[in-house]
Amino acid sequence: MNASSLKLGFIGLGIMGAPMCGHLISAGHQLFVNTHGKVPASIAETSATQCTTARGVAERADIIFVMVPDTPDVEKVLFGEDGVAAGLKGSTGKIVVDMSSISPVATKEFAKRIEAVGAQYLDAPVSGGEVGAKNGTLSIMIGGPDAAFERVKPLFEKMGKNITLVGGNGDGQTAKVANQIIVALNIEAVAEALLFASRAGADPARVREALLGGFASSKILEVHAERMIKRTFDPGFRIALHQKDLNLALSSARQLGVSLPNTAMAQELFNTCVAHGGAAWDHSGMVRALEKMANFEIGQKAE
C-alpha cells in the first residue's frame, strides 16, 4: 500500500459500481466493499476487503461511496439495520458519497441525517454509462460542502473526467435529472430520424455517417444510433433505470409547477418498450416503440 493510500468504502458493485471501485483499487487505495449478492470476480480477486454489512464498511473506511439503483436502495444502505449511519456513530471527519441517481428531495433529507451522526455528505451522480465507468471517463455532478468536495475530488478524478461541484446537497441530483431529460429526448430524436430515413429507403448507417459531420452530431448519434442500426440492445443503461430517472423528473416538475411535455412523451415510449418485455433493454431500445407504431424496423428493406 502506498503512502498516499486512503481507507475507502464502496457499497454497490453492479455494472457501474464494480469498474468504478476497480479504478480506486488500481490507484493504490485500501478498499472495504459490500454489495447485494455476490462480489464480482473483478473485485473479489483484488486486495479489497469484503464486509458482510454496510455498517462494517462505514466502521472501517474514512470515505464511503454508494452506488445502488434507486432512492429506497440508498435509504436502506444508509439507514437500515446495520447500515452506514450505524457505522458512523462515534466517528468524526468521515464523508459519505452517494453516486446513485435518486430523488433530489430525498437527498437533502439524507444529507441532514448523515450530518446528524457526525459525517459530511456529497451527492455525486454520474453520466457516461458502463463504457464511461470502465474507461474512467464519467461526468460527475456533485452537490455538497466545498471542503468535502475538495477532499474527495482526487478520487473522483480516478473515475471521471468532467467533474463539477454544482452547488449544495441535492444540486448534483438535480443536474443528473436534467441530464437524463436531455439524453432521453436525444435518443427519441435519433430514433425518429433513423426510422424516417430507413423507411424512405436510405441506408441508415450511411445516413448516420453523414449526420455525424454536421450540426446534428451528438454522443447519442455516435453511440446509440449504431446500436439501433446493429440491433444491439444489451445494456448499457437499462430502460428500467431511465424510467426511474424520468419519474424523478416528472414528479419533481409537478411539485415545481413546470410542464415537461416531451419528457412525458419519452416516458410513454419507454413504457411501451417495457410492455413488450424491454425493461432490461438498453435505453437506445426506445426505437422499438416507434418501430411498433410504424410497423417497420430500421434496416428493414423498404417496399
Side-chain angles (χ1 to χ4, degrees):
M1 203 66 62
N2 64 55
S4 61
S5 69
L6 299 169
K7 291 183 178 180
L8 307 176
F10 210 105
I11 300 169
L13 301 172
I15 289 175
M16 299 286 288
M20 292 163 68
C21 179
H23 292 310
L24 298 175
I25 296 169
S26 297
H29 299 296
Q30 185 178 3
L31 267 292
F32 300 91
V33 302
N34 173 261
T35 194
H36 180 73
K38 189 177 180 181
V39 173
S42 61
I43 302 300
E45 294 169 1
T46 70
S47 60
T49 299
Q50 297 181 37
C51 301
T52 57
T53 64
R55 176 176 183 164
V57 172
E59 287 173 342
R60 293 165 174 82
D62 296 316
I63 301 172
I64 303 100
F65 295 91
V66 178
M67 186 61 169
V68 294
D70 204 349
T71 306
D73 303 303
V74 174
E75 184 170 22
K76 183 178 180 181
V77 163
L78 295 181
F79 307 111
E81 186 178 0
D82 285 328
V84 168
L88 294 173
K89 290 177 181 176
S91 62
T92 57
K94 296 194 176 189
I95 302 173
V96 175
V97 185
D98 178 31
M99 303 191 77
S100 319
S101 295
I102 68 168
S103 163
V105 175
T107 291
K108 292 177 182 180
E109 181 61 29
F110 294 167
K112 290 177 183 176
R113 293 173 69 182
I114 289 296
E115 288 167 359
V117 294
Q120 291 183 299
Y121 191 92
L122 295 174
D123 50 290
V126 304
S127 178
E130 183 181 7
V131 172
K134 287 182 174 179
N135 293 338
T137 57
L138 294 167
S139 290
I140 307 177
M141 299 151 258
I142 301 110
D146 289 2
F149 168 71
E150 291 299 332
R151 187 174 163 198
V152 180
K153 186 178 180 182
L155 302 175
F156 288 143
E157 289 171 345
K158 300 301 180 185
M159 297 181 280
K161 294 298 183 186
N162 184 29
I163 298 158
T164 306
L165 179 62
V166 180
N169 284 127
D171 289 346
Q173 295 294 353
T174 295
K176 177 59 189 290
V177 170
N179 178 87
Q180 295 302 81
I181 292 171
I182 293 170
V183 170
L185 299 191
N186 270 317
I187 290 173
E188 198 279 335
V190 167
E192 279 196 18
L194 290 184
L195 180 60
F196 164 77
S198 186
R199 184 65 183 87
D203 181 341
R206 292 190 178 185
V207 170
R208 170 184 171 273
E209 184 179 347
L211 297 180
L212 282 170
F215 205 56
S217 183
S218 69
K219 198 71 175 178
I220 300 297
L221 184 65
E222 177 187 342
V223 177
H224 287 8
E226 187 173 34
R227 286 177 177 265
M228 294 173 193
I229 293 163
K230 292 184 175 179
R231 320 305 292 171
T232 53
F233 297 118
D234 294 335
F237 187 76
R238 299 193 307 275
I239 280 176
L241 290 177
H242 209 145
Q243 277 189 303
K244 177 261 297 184
D245 293 338
L246 294 192
N247 280 337
L248 291 175
L250 293 168
S251 61
S252 298
R254 280 193 297 273
Q255 292 175 328
L256 295 168
V258 174
S259 178
L260 303 177
N262 289 329
T263 302
M265 179 270 298
Q267 184 72 308
E268 289 302 325
L269 292 173
F270 279 143
N271 292 343
T272 299
C273 292
V274 171
H276 286 86
W281 296 344
D282 183 78
H283 54 172
S284 59
M286 180 195 283
V287 69
R288 288 181 163 180
L290 294 168
E291 290 172 338
K292 289 286 183 185
M293 289 188 279
N295 195 27
F296 187 88
E297 286 190 1
I298 290 172
Q300 182 180 334
K301 187 173 176 61
E303 297 178 359

